[in-house]
Amino acid sequence: MTTDDGISSRRTTIYDLARIVGTSPTAVSSVLNGSWKKRRISQKLADRVLSAAEENGYALNIQASVLRREKSNIVGMIIPKYDNRFFGAIAERFEEAARAEGLFPVITCTQRDPDLEVEAVRGLLSYQVDCLVACGATNPDHIAELCAANGVATINLDLPGGRAPSIISDSYSGALDLTNVILDACEQELGSRAPLIFIGGRLDDHNTKERRRGFLDAHAARGIEVPEDNVLMPGYAPEKARAVLEGMATRARGIFVNSTITLEGVVQWMQSLPPAEAAGMRYGSFDYDPFGALLPQNVGMVEQDVPSLIAALVARMGDLPNAQIDVTKVPCILRLPHITPAA
Amino acid sequence: MTTDDGISSRRTTIYDLARIVGTSPTAVSSVLNGSWKKRRISQKLADRVLSAAEENGYALNIQASVLRREKSNIVGMIIPKYDNRFFGAIAERFEEAARAEGLFPVITCTQRDPDLEVEAVRGLLSYQVDCLVACGATNPDHIAELCAANGVATINLDLPGGRAPSIISDSYSGALDLTNVILDACEQELGSRAPLIFIGGRLDDHNTKERRRGFLDAHAARGIEVPEDNVLMPGYAPEKARAVLEGMATRARGIFVNSTITLEGVVQWMQSLPPAEAAGMRYGSFDYDPFGALLPQNVGMVEQDVPSLIAALVARMGDLPNAQIDVTKVPCILRLPHITPAA
DNA sequence: TTCCAATGCTCAACCGATAGAGCATAATTG
DNA sequence: CAATTATGCTCTATCGGTTGAGCATTGGAA
């Protein structure tokens, strides 16, 4: 809608269209939102309204619409980062799946900052979200309480909580498999049965705890004892990983890397070693990265199955809010290196 | 707000708080939105309202708030992907910057699909966004028109348009620098003055066009002629890049890779070569990837300066909608490989 | 012819927050 | 002590769309 002098005026509303077509706002509204048959509006009037809407570039005012309705059809998600293959994929797939369900997704990135998380949740509640997905949240239960206070159901993704259904990767099984792959490679290619090194993450992180458990159980099943200081959890930062590895007196032949972020530090460290020494090492990582997969010492990567996680999430969103509080574990995908033709 | 039987009822509103505190909805509203001093509400009442809000987990209803106000303070962004270092970083920084300005960011991912882009723009217009950022849009001008029809200002990011101010990386200069780095490395380390291969992207893509121009100009400045079939633009997909390289009869010593996605294909191809042959190659890539940076043939990567792009964007958002339609070019960052101690 | 149902539309209230106007009461000034 | 100003709050209309109720008009059945 543009005034004569070319300066754009207010947006077109159903009242404008009603005046143009010569009918009531109610009729216009019902035509535009699809309830016109139920309301016994004639096809003729509907056509006139639709073409007037088209001509005037009408766009619904969601604020007004949602304000009046009881359901908003808006689903919220908080996510720690976008700048990361895993979470980036989660965000993309979630948007896609939500749209396919006729819902409107709104995602907010929280930088793993607990205060920002709470602020973001409040923000999403302001949008009258019908349901909120707490992905990788530092304190899922606090978020669940906040939402419950507003009558909004939540689902936890990636990290579990005790006050809402959770959908997470099966870190334990993934770690067990990955550890076995690395142990096999060390034994077959290097002739070593030494315990592996586990590096990355924090013990207060549920997923790290589970992966550590899988790591230790795989060793135990082979009767290999893991010295306590083979498990290094200095956080995820590459520099920390590198520093820890450089400070180690005994060097293992095989390394279990707990994330691709940590892997950067591991690879930097390996590249600083004499090539002969580096050649005698193997690693696997919990998280997939296409370049990390191409490095010669890589023997396998565990990739979280994002499409399945989202599928499970959407299935769960269907029967909220009277859902059970339980944990759904989605298997990971083990990606072995491409066999490249030897020179 | 919870009823006696534990089933959550409607969300808490200012009317609930007004009843609880024993005051008017107006007073509650003004306390919560910060206009209470202007409205001469006492500190005492303000405190009581705030603690009641806290206790009852009050969350503003943005729909109602925005409906009434003239400005929404919501800023929208459409972005092709999250699952990508560059766009992921853009999304993260944009959210951060918007929040710092007291604005509420809403980002939607469009998968580079023109129809989804339009749908997403309509969705954001429904939210009454004050301004919309079209990042990497396939058709920025169409989006600008759609928004203009609703009186919403737009800014283009990453890819320029003709109907709104644009903020983009200086692809030409970045490509010029990168080409020089690769040419230098080939000359100094391999003794080769052969023209490089340019791989990745599409010629209808503005950035690819600019990078190709920088690539060619750097050669021209050294008097090196580039055969036409040294410039390969089969899109970005790794498989395509690999296939094109495998099909090449003449092999160059140096490669200009037009994105990290393409780089995957290039690296796969290099790893399929006999090691001696691979050792005689050098590449640089337009886009940064930490693992790509660690590969031995890498001589440099150009990283787009996301913080500066966002800073320019925010600065521009300040004086909308009466802004000039022009193009701001932000310099890229050239990242040379870490010098690792030789064995 | 009379009654009833179907058809096609309009009216008015409402969702929750906000802004302008207004109205007491208290404090200050002449 | 009256007049003015400051203080502290409330009332009411409003944003745009939705919903239940309601009201003519027409067509067909009894």
Side-chain angles (χ1 to χ4, degrees), chain B residues 97-128:
Chain B
R99 261 196 278 268
E101 299 279 311
L103 303 170
F104 208 107
V106 178
I107 305 180
T108 293
C109 172
T110 60
Q111 313 273 9
R112 284 192 207 283
D113 172 343
D115 294 339
L116 242 179
E117 268 177 20
V118 171
E119 199 197 318
V121 168
R122 268 192 228 283
L124 292 172
L125 287 174
S126 295
Y127 278 92
Q128 313 299 107

Side-chain angles (χ1 to χ4, degrees), chain A residues 135-156:
Chain A
C135 176
T138 58
N139 193 345
D141 291 348
H142 182 207
I143 290 167
E145 277 171 42
L146 256 168
C147 290
N150 285 271
V152 172
T154 59
I155 304 186
N156 300 310

